[in-house]
Amino acid sequence: MFRTALRNVLAHKGRLLMTTLAVMLGTAFVAGTLVFTDTLGSALRSQNSKSYTDIAVTVSDREAVGRGYDHSGKAGTGRTLTEDTRRAVAALPGAAEARGVVSGFAGIADKKGALIGNGFSTTGTNYVPGADGTDPRYPLVEGRGPNNATEIALDAKTAEKGAYKVGDTVRVAVNGPVMELKLTGTLRTNDPRVTAGGSLAAFDTATAQQLYLTPGRFGELDVKAKPGTDDSALLAAVKQAVPHGDNIDARTGRELADEQDRMIQQGTKGMSTALLVFAGIALFVGIFIIANTFTMLVAQRTKELALLRAIGASRKQITRSVKIEAVLVGLTASVAGLVAGIGIAAGLRALLNGPMEANLPDGPLVIAPATVVAAIAVGVLVTLVAAWLPARRASRIAPVAAMSSSEQPATQKSLVVRNTIGLVFALAGAAGLAAGAVSKEVKLVGAGAGALLIGVFVLTPLLSRPLIALFAPLLRGLYGTPGRLAKENAIRNPRRTAATASALTIGVTLITALTVVGASVNKAVDKATASDLKADFTVTMQNYSMLSPEVATQIAKAPGVSAMSVDRTVPVTIGAAGAAGADGQEGADDADTEWLTGVDAATIDQLATLKIKEGAADALKQGKVLVSAGTSGTSRYKLGETLAFTYPDGTKGSLTVGGILESSSALHGIVAPDAVVGPHAAPGTGPSKVLVKGTDGPTEKLKQALRDATGGNPLIAVKGEKDIKAENRQIVTDILTMMYGLLGMSVVIAVLGVVNTMAMSVFERRREIGMLRAIGLDRLGIRRMVRLESLLIALFGGLVGVVLGVVVAWAGLRTLADTFKGITTEVPPVQILSFLLAAAVVGLLAALWPAYKAAKLDILGAIKSE
């Protein structure tokens, strides 16, 4: 039977080509994902290891984060790392050197004033020259390091992007006014934030301390050991030499490197899992194609299989023969997919390092044995699973009854069983979606969506006849006989049509669901922005860190400003103050951590919509707080309740709840007068944003005035309502684009399925096509018949996919009701119609080759074919 299976594979290699391609593409996706993530992880770990090569011990001050990196608002009340501490550590017997490190962010403007790099990776640090005047951590490419507050050095790539040369004046900003500094040199660095597209600005140590901390203070000490010194022993000595406090943390370089390795491993594992989900979708689509191919091959070989049964082959041998064919096809395709996947991984890395300028670390391509085994095993297993049912059907061919028929029709009993199973799954899935939508449970919605999809796939043969019949009048009217024949051919074998269409349905379902969710989220965010925010402009940092304290004062003096308010958020611990609430009951004894937002009580009502559910609208002016009810509509704190606060600087106070706010995108958490919140914020930090109302509305003149007032800082963004909406939409668009790209492989495989089905259908209908030619249907009519049949199958799959996608999206959006206020299901008609049009184009393109082959058949040869 093995020889028989091998012969069948070689005899039908043309008809198995599309199946092989489908398995190969799915396997290539899996192999490419594993090779790329393994390669990336290995390179990152290698780079990480090099970063800690010369560091034996690192001492960190958790509170001494770069100004603007600290979103906690902590005032920094712990012990600090000073120059005296650094000298004491450097003097330890086992220490060769102790380097004081200061870091934060620094935005570099190009010569047009635009920010170089992204706001989250604009890195600033201190340059520490040795005896030779250079800093070994940042090797010089050109020039020298900075020596005073008027000088700066940049990484070479940032200097190149900004067209800066040594001696030029560079505009640099932290979170306040722009500084104009002289470029003294360019550097090299392996900092991943910089190599991934960010920027590095190096200041002399005194300047960096002034910008990010306080004079004489370090955020970190990196200790280099003398030869022969044990790192653990040096760590113990360092712990004795540095100040003791909860904010001071000392660890060996090896411990830090291991921790970074674990983070890298988790990150690459998460990336790999996400990509493998889409690879799984592609392979799932491939199952339909494989099953359809083997089903058609078994049907076309009915007489051959019946003859084998007649001469003594058992049902198990017939089943085994088909399974061996599947294994051979899967093995061949998997090996090819593995090779293609390795090429994809290499190409992806070259693409990211080339045109996309991701600057991934260099390293060898990692092809782990587990990757080879997984790729081949997955491909073979998927092919074998898909061929299992056709193999069972092959074994049931009767030795005599099948000798006179080219294909055995499905029995009435099997159809009833299939439709019953499909109906049960569909109803269970619909119930799950409804229950998940009501309870807002994501897992329930996911399970319901899966069951519904399975049910619809099982019921697809039943659905194909009425849905395809919808297009029959149009086809007959436009194309006459070819149109009528195309319709009859499409519904002749519902199972085959269903299997072909289902492959396309999966991709269309997912793409439609993503599109509807994206459109709905965009609509909800736009609506919330328009209704909740009255301010004409919002001034924030591009990396969402804190503004400089003087920014608010500068903005207040800008021409055209009629009202403004800061928005300052700090964490507070809330416990019961012992005062009774409105219901006469005592507050809770347990302390909770909450976010306290400080705003200008006198002007906030002009800048944000205050929808009061309970209490007084002017509660802030009375020195009380407003509590957001959130999208759930309920608040954990009651009107009149007195809240006892412990502020970030350790001081305590209490405020009374004067009002309950409806859910708002502009104000959230606990809102208090900034006169109360501001004094407890971290020294040197300003608000997270400033809301501005203009005398003449949101004019370009006011926008420019605000830019000028903030010194043209490239890190400060001035955003109007349109800018905020566009920014939110861009985030959703980027996510959807990435998802569409990842789903593209499944769509390609679905297209191969349509091509495969049409090609094999033409082969088995050679005699019929010959007869049609003989009675007068010309080649154009034959081509049109095949193309229209393919078009109907693709439209059927697309239509079912669109409906399923909208239903699944609706249920999924219900689970987001607590995140996006007032979210509704938005179905973008243009995009939905474009998906159906794309499905039609797919059907037409997939039929080009089969239609050409059908039209080229020799009439007499086709009529006498078996």
Side-chain angles (χ1 to χ4, degrees):
M1 296 308 293
F2 177 80
R3 289 196 298 270
T4 302
L6 182 60
R7 179 188 61 79
N8 285 329
V9 169
L10 296 175
H12 302 117
K13 53 183 178 292
R15 277 174 273 176
L16 289 168
L17 176 61
M18 296 301 171
T19 298
T20 304
L21 284 175
V23 178
M24 186 195 77
L25 289 175
T27 307
F29 203 154
V30 172
T33 294
L34 295 175
V35 172
F36 177 73
T37 52
D38 286 348
T39 299
L40 179 61
S42 175
L44 289 174
R45 287 192 294 272
S46 176
Q47 183 185 65
N48 178 58
S49 178
K50 292 177 182 177
S51 299
Y52 291 97
T53 299
D54 295 330
I55 299 177
V57 175
T58 292
V59 186
S60 302
D61 179 353
R62 294 193 185 97
E63 292 181 353
V65 291
R67 189 171 63 178
Y69 284 166
D70 188 3
H71 291 261
S72 69
K74 292 183 179 179
T77 57
R79 302 295 182 89
T80 61
L81 302 176
T82 64
E83 176 61 23
D84 289 340
T85 307
R86 189 196 69 78
R87 289 173 181 169
V89 171
L92 291 173
E97 178 188 345
R99 176 192 177 96
V101 178
V102 185
S103 62
F105 62 82
I108 312 299
D110 62 20
K111 293 185 177 180
K112 295 181 180 179
L115 180 68
I116 299 176
N118 60 70
F120 296 97
S121 301
T122 53
T123 307
T125 190
N126 60 319
Y127 188 83
V128 185
D132 61 352
T134 63
D135 186 342
R137 178 170 290 189
Y138 302 109
L140 287 168
V141 175
E142 187 180 3
R144 61 173 177 81
N147 293 327
N148 55 59
T150 65
E151 297 177 344
I152 191 175
L154 301 177
D155 68 282
K157 289 191 176 180
T158 297
E160 182 181 353
K161 290 177 183 177
Y164 287 121
K165 297 180 179 179
V166 173
D168 287 350
T169 298
V170 180
R171 301 180 74 247
V172 188
V174 180
N175 60 348
V178 172
M179 301 173 287
E180 295 191 350
L181 307 178
K182 180 181 179 181
L183 181 63
T184 61
T186 56
L187 317 167
R188 287 198 304 270
T189 177
N190 60 1
D191 188 327
R193 292 173 298 178
V194 181
T195 57
S199 61
L200 174 68
F203 306 93
D204 70 288
T205 298
T207 302
Q209 290 173 331
Q210 183 67 41
L211 289 172
Y212 301 123
L213 299 171
T214 54
R217 185 179 181 184
F218 296 105
E220 181 180 298
L221 297 179
D222 292 338
V223 186
K224 184 178 180 180
K226 290 180 179 178
T229 302
D230 180 69
D231 289 355
S232 298
L234 181 58
L235 174 63
V238 168
K239 286 183 176 179
Q240 295 298 318
V242 301
H244 295 277
D246 293 338
N247 61 305
I248 302 298
D249 178 43
R251 285 185 285 177
T252 65
R254 185 66 266 162
E255 289 175 338
L256 288 174
D258 290 343
E259 181 180 330
Q260 290 294 321
D261 282 350
R262 286 192 295 271
M263 293 175 64
I264 291 169
Q265 186 175 5
Q266 291 175 357
T268 54
K269 184 179 179 181
M271 180 193 300
S272 177
T273 301
L275 291 174
L276 287 175
V277 167
F278 289 93
I281 294 171
L283 287 167
F284 183 62
V285 171
I287 287 176
F288 288 91
I289 298 172
I290 300 164
N292 209 19
T293 301
F294 277 94
T295 298
M296 295 176 74
L297 284 175
V298 167
Q300 292 170 10
R301 286 158 42 199
T302 299
K303 292 185 178 182
E304 174 189 330
L305 295 173
L307 180 60
L308 288 173
R309 289 296 313 281
I311 62 176
S314 66
R315 292 180 61 178
K316 285 186 178 181
Q317 286 179 311
I318 296 295
T319 302
R320 192 179 304 125
S321 173
V322 177
K323 287 181 178 179
I324 291 172
E325 290 181 45
V327 170
L328 292 173
V329 171
L331 186 61
T332 303
S334 298
V335 172
L338 174 63
V339 175
I342 294 171
I344 288 172
L348 181 59
R349 186 172 66 168
L351 177 66
L352 291 172
N353 280 334
M356 298 185 70
E357 297 184 349
N359 298 313
L360 300 179
D362 293 329
L365 208 61
V366 178
I367 306 170
T371 298
V372 176
V373 172
I376 294 177
V378 165
V380 172
L381 183 62
V382 165
T383 311
L384 193 57
V385 168
W388 176 77
L389 193 57
R392 282 178 55 85
R393 288 177 182 164
S395 68
R396 292 175 181 173
I397 295 176
V400 177
M403 294 290 285
S404 60
S405 175
S406 61
E407 184 173 355
Q408 288 182 303
T411 64
Q412 187 65 30
K413 180 181 177 180
S414 69
L415 292 176
V416 171
V417 171
R418 178 186 179 121
N419 292 338
T420 301
I421 293 173
L423 187 61
V424 169
F425 269 98
L427 291 176
L433 283 178
V438 172
S439 63
K440 300 175 184 178
E441 181 60 48
V442 176
K443 291 183 179 179
L444 193 55
V445 169
L452 179 61
L453 288 173
I454 292 173
V456 170
F457 290 153
V458 176
L459 288 172
T460 304
L462 182 65
L463 298 173
S464 62
R465 288 181 179 273
L467 290 179
I468 289 178
L470 293 175
F471 300 98
L474 179 63
L475 293 180
R476 283 198 302 268
L478 292 176
Y479 301 106
T481 299
R484 182 173 59 82
L485 290 172
K487 178 254 184 181
E488 294 298 329
N489 288 334
I491 63 175
R492 174 188 300 180
N493 192 326
R495 285 186 172 182
R496 181 183 304 171
T497 297
T500 306
S502 294
L504 190 59
T505 296
I506 296 171
V508 175
T509 297
L510 295 174
I511 290 173
T512 299
L514 288 172
T515 302
V516 172
V517 169
S520 302
V521 169
N522 277 334
K523 183 70 176 290
V525 173
D526 285 354
K527 184 178 179 181
T529 301
S531 63
D532 297 341
L533 193 65
K534 293 182 180 178
D536 293 325
F537 292 103
T538 301
V539 181
T540 62
M541 296 293 289
Q542 290 201 42
N543 56 3
Y544 300 101
S545 56
M546 305 299 182
L547 291 160
S548 175
E550 62 268 18
V551 168
T553 304
Q554 295 168 340
I555 289 175
K557 296 177 181 178
V561 174
S562 62
M564 60 153 286
S565 171
V566 300
D567 185 311
R568 188 193 316 272
T569 304
V570 298
V572 292
T573 302
I574 300 179
D583 59 356
Q585 297 182 1
E586 291 292 318
D589 293 330
D590 295 334
D592 298 312
T593 299
E594 296 278 5
W595 290 100
L596 185 64
T597 300
V599 297
D600 291 339
T603 59
I604 189 61
D605 57 344
Q606 303 175 49
L607 300 158
T609 303
L610 302 179
K611 297 179 181 178
I612 305 296
K613 293 186 64 175
E614 299 179 65
D618 60 349
L620 292 175
K621 295 178 182 178
Q622 299 172 14
K624 300 179 181 180
V625 298
L626 298 175
V627 179
S628 174
T631 50
S632 63
T634 59
S635 170
R636 61 186 301 180
Y637 302 110
K638 299 177 182 178
L639 184 66
E641 183 178 359
T642 300
L643 305 178
F645 294 97
T646 300
Y647 294 102
D649 58 3
T651 59
K652 298 180 182 295
S654 62
L655 291 170
T656 302
V657 178
I660 307 296
L661 283 171
E662 288 187 13
S663 174
S664 171
S665 61
L667 298 173
H668 50 84
I670 302 174
V671 184
D674 190 58
V676 176
V677 179
H680 302 291
T685 63
S688 57
K689 60 185 173 184
V690 177
L691 306 177
V692 181
K693 190 79 173 177
T695 305
D696 300 321
T699 63
E700 282 298 319
K701 183 178 179 181
L702 175 59
K703 192 174 187 178
Q704 186 59 49
L706 295 176
R707 288 198 186 104
D708 294 340
T710 54
N713 188 329
L715 274 173
I716 293 180
V718 180
K719 304 173 185 176
E721 182 180 319
K722 291 182 179 179
D723 300 318
I724 295 173
K725 289 181 178 179
E727 186 178 76
N728 292 330
R729 285 182 173 274
Q730 188 60 49
I731 293 172
V732 174
T733 299
D734 290 344
I735 294 173
L736 289 179
T737 301
M738 180 182 67
M739 301 288 272
Y740 290 158
L742 292 172
L743 287 171
M745 186 68 78
S746 62
V747 175
V748 170
I749 292 175
V751 173
L752 293 177
V754 179
V755 175
N756 194 43
T757 298
M758 297 309 302
M760 295 185 71
S761 179
V762 166
F763 178 83
E764 73 178 19
R765 299 204 309 254
R766 287 174 298 170
R767 178 179 294 180
E768 175 187 321
I769 293 172
M771 291 295 295
L772 288 172
R773 289 294 315 282
I775 63 175
L777 190 63
D778 59 12
R779 288 182 174 178
L780 177 61
I782 294 294
R783 286 197 298 268
R784 184 170 291 168
M785 178 188 72
V786 175
R787 288 199 298 264
L788 291 176
E789 180 184 350
S790 177
L791 173 65
L792 284 173
I793 293 174
L795 280 176
F796 169 57
L799 184 61
V800 174
V802 164
V803 174
L804 284 175
V806 172
V807 172
V808 171
W810 168 81
L813 287 168
R814 295 304 90 209
T815 67
L816 298 177
D818 288 342
T819 305
F820 298 97
K821 182 184 68 172
I823 192 168
T824 57
T825 304
E826 297 292 327
V827 182
V830 175
Q831 287 174 280
I832 297 301
L833 288 174
S834 70
F835 296 154
L836 290 175
L837 179 61
V841 172
V842 163
L844 292 174
L845 292 178
L848 289 178
W849 180 61
Y852 172 80
K853 297 292 289 184
K856 288 292 185 180
L857 284 176
D858 177 70
I859 297 176
L860 295 179
I863 291 175
K864 68 179 183 180
S865 64
E866 290 293 332

